[in-house]
Amino acid sequence: MEHIFTANIKAVLQRNFETNADDIFDKSQLIQYINEKTRSAERGSKARGSFANLYAIYVIIEDYIANGFDIKGDYSKYEGALFNKLFARQRELPFGNKLQNHALNNRMNSEFEKYFPTSEYKPILRDQTTNRYWINDNLLNIKVGNTNFNIATVIIDIINEYIKTKQDAFQRFVHQCEALQDIENTTPEKVKEFIIGLLAPNVDARLFEIVSYSILKFYYHNQTIIWGYEMDKLNTENLKLYKTGRTNANDGGIDFVMKPLGRFYQVTETLDFKKYFLDIDKIQKYPITFVIKSDEDSETLKQKIRDNANKIYSINSIIEKYMACIEEVINIPILSIRFNEAINQGYLNNILDEIVLQSKVEFNYSENL
């Protein structure tokens, strides 16, 4: 299946293999997989980048090339790349600073198998006792006619091209935000339309989390709570929403925390009940609000979670114990309503400024990106 970035992939192949480029594209399962994973290049900064699995491939092949196996061969005798080295390298790459170990350990192989269920090759080979890794070089050596071609350096070039495309797209996104900051007082409708456009099911999960936080932060901003330890010494305090860390971080299922109520928020895009129940377990069944990247009605979403749980668990009391921990479900329509309420309170410019600030932090943005 071809898409816009496919032309970039074929251009890299053409530069390296000339008349054999099309045959290599058709015969290489690894290139076909990368072609599938780079679809978001055509959808700009708003689309998920799929860097985790691509970077798992990248860092192992980079190690393969660094040791000269693309030229000298004899890879079967190599002791393998150390996990810590590969993992650290992943996080050095653009957009990779918060990647977890899942892609290296299993996720990349599992997804590859879904695309190529009849393939006899597993891309990433791993020795769990030594924690060393190899790329399956059967996937790097492609035979066209009587000639064998090693595509290791080409894989690196293709992924680098994708990184550059996503960097350029995100740079344009930030510049667009900054341009809106310049005119936010004269054309607020353009700012509002832009932010509403970021509340969509196909938006990159990180951007959705940032926009959700920015809206909810100022939606709650003027709401107050009266509390205290003694009736004659009560405090009046505004609700404050805090972002607990970077998006997609392994932080125990807590994306936002509200003070002084102590409410927990988790942003998600899946309806897999196991993910919800796991988040609830992580915080010892403390009540949690889920912000779900979906247009479906919030009660419908809760019912789907319950229905999916019913298919696995036969004990209603277990399911209800988990469901009772879901304090609130906030979907895209609810976020839109709360966005409008925050605008009515005069916080449109603040929300845009917060989106710009959080985006630059999340994506390690600099003018020289």
Side-chain angles (χ1 to χ4, degrees):
M1 183 70 71
E2 296 197 7
H3 49 83
I4 289 178
F5 191 75
T6 304
N8 299 63
I9 294 175
K10 290 190 171 183
V12 173
L13 292 172
Q14 185 68 40
R15 287 198 300 270
N16 286 272
F17 301 119
E18 299 178 344
T19 58
N20 294 300
D22 288 341
D23 285 333
I24 291 172
F25 180 87
D26 292 336
K27 290 186 176 184
S28 170
Q29 292 177 345
L30 205 50
I31 289 176
Q32 292 292 331
Y33 175 76
I34 292 171
N35 183 55
E36 288 292 334
K37 297 299 291 180
T38 53
R39 286 178 176 275
S40 74
E42 66 188 89
R43 298 194 292 273
S45 63
K46 297 180 185 178
R48 177 183 291 278
S50 299
F51 287 108
N53 288 1
L54 290 177
Y55 281 178
I57 299 168
Y58 187 101
V59 295
I60 298 178
I61 292 181
E62 195 176 51
D63 177 80
Y64 173 90
I65 294 169
N67 286 281
F69 293 114
D70 58 321
I71 298 170
K72 68 183 182 184
D74 208 22
Y75 189 54
S76 63
K77 297 179 182 178
Y78 180 48
E79 62 183 355
L82 282 168
F83 169 79
N84 289 343
K85 180 182 176 182
L86 297 174
F87 189 50
R89 176 58 179 146
Q90 274 189 317
R91 291 189 161 194
E92 291 173 354
L93 294 168
F95 305 109
N97 63 310
K98 286 296 176 179
L99 290 178
Q100 302 300 311
N101 63 350
H102 311 304
L104 277 168
N105 287 349
N106 179 58
R107 193 167 291 169
M108 189 273 150
N109 280 343
S110 178
E111 188 178 62
F112 183 87
E113 187 178 359
K114 290 179 183 177
Y115 284 114
F116 303 100
T118 61
S119 177
E120 57 187 312
Y121 302 125
K122 182 183 292 187
I124 296 175
L125 306 176
R126 173 190 177 203
D127 184 338
Q128 295 188 47
T129 58
T130 62
N131 229 8
R132 290 184 179 270
Y133 292 71
W134 299 260
I135 190 73
N136 191 328
D137 65 344
N138 289 299
L139 293 168
L140 297 180
N141 294 295
I142 308 300
K143 188 171 185 179
V144 178
N146 294 319
T147 306
N148 287 312
F149 296 92
N150 187 286
I151 62 170
T153 58
V154 168
I155 295 294
I156 296 296
D157 289 346
I158 290 170
I159 297 176
N160 281 336
E161 183 74 17
Y162 178 65
I163 293 168
K164 182 178 182 299
T165 300
K166 296 299 287 185
Q167 284 180 320
D168 290 346
F170 185 72
Q171 190 172 44
R172 288 194 300 272
F173 168 76
V174 171
H175 287 166
Q176 186 178 6
C177 288
E178 291 174 334
L180 287 169
Q181 284 179 308
D182 292 336
I183 63 170
E184 58 191 2
N185 293 322
T186 56
T187 55
E189 284 303 315
K190 284 189 177 180
V191 177
K192 179 179 176 181
E193 182 181 345
F194 174 74
I195 295 174
I196 284 291
L198 298 175
L199 292 176
N202 64 338
V203 165
D204 177 275
R206 292 171 296 180
L207 275 179
F208 181 77
E209 182 174 324
I210 288 167
V211 176
S212 299
Y213 169 72
S214 302
I215 289 171
L216 292 174
K217 175 181 178 178
F218 289 99
Y219 167 75
Y220 293 120
H221 189 69
N222 277 345
Q223 298 181 37
T224 58
I225 183 173
I226 300 172
W227 67 278
Y229 298 104
E230 299 177 32
M231 289 299 294
D232 58 343
K233 295 180 182 180
L234 297 178
N235 303 294
T236 300
E237 189 172 343
N238 286 70
L239 298 180
K240 296 178 183 177
L241 195 67
Y242 293 89
K243 200 167 181 292
T244 60
R246 305 292 279 269
T247 64
N248 296 327
N250 186 19
D251 51 15
I254 306 302
D255 291 324
F256 317 145
V257 174
M258 179 187 284
K259 190 181 179 211
L261 286 179
R263 285 186 66 180
F264 289 174
Y265 295 75
Q266 170 74 350
V267 184
T268 186
E269 58 185 336
T270 181
L271 287 180
D272 182 359
F273 82 92
K274 294 177 185 176
K275 172 68 167 60
Y276 291 80
F277 288 10
L278 177 61
D279 286 335
I280 291 167
D281 277 336
K282 284 178 180 178
I283 55 175
Q284 302 295 308
K285 295 184 174 61
Y286 187 88
I288 185 169
T289 292
F290 287 102
V291 182
I292 304 178
K293 192 171 68 154
S294 172
D295 285 321
E296 289 193 80
D297 178 76
S298 58
E299 288 303 316
T300 302
L301 292 171
K302 285 185 72 172
Q303 189 58 50
K304 283 188 174 183
I305 296 168
R306 179 181 276 106
D307 290 344
N308 289 335
N310 278 323
K311 294 176 183 177
I312 304 298
Y313 292 112
S314 59
I315 308 301
N316 289 334
S317 61
I318 295 176
I319 297 170
E320 292 309 317
K321 185 177 290 187
Y322 280 102
M323 294 303 298
C325 294
I326 302 178
E327 192 165 20
E328 183 183 5
V329 168
I330 300 174
N331 60 4
I332 290 174
I334 291 174
L335 278 172
S336 299
I337 292 169
R338 295 186 178 180
F339 176 48
N340 286 322
E341 291 181 15
I343 290 174
N344 292 335
Q345 296 174 41
Y347 291 120
L348 177 60
N349 295 353
N350 301 79
I351 292 171
L352 177 62
D353 294 345
E354 191 70 31
I355 291 171
V356 174
L357 173 64
Q358 295 295 335
S359 295
K360 286 183 175 181
V361 170
E362 174 60 33
F363 295 99
N364 296 322
Y365 175 83
S366 71
E367 294 301 325
N368 298 317
L369 186 68

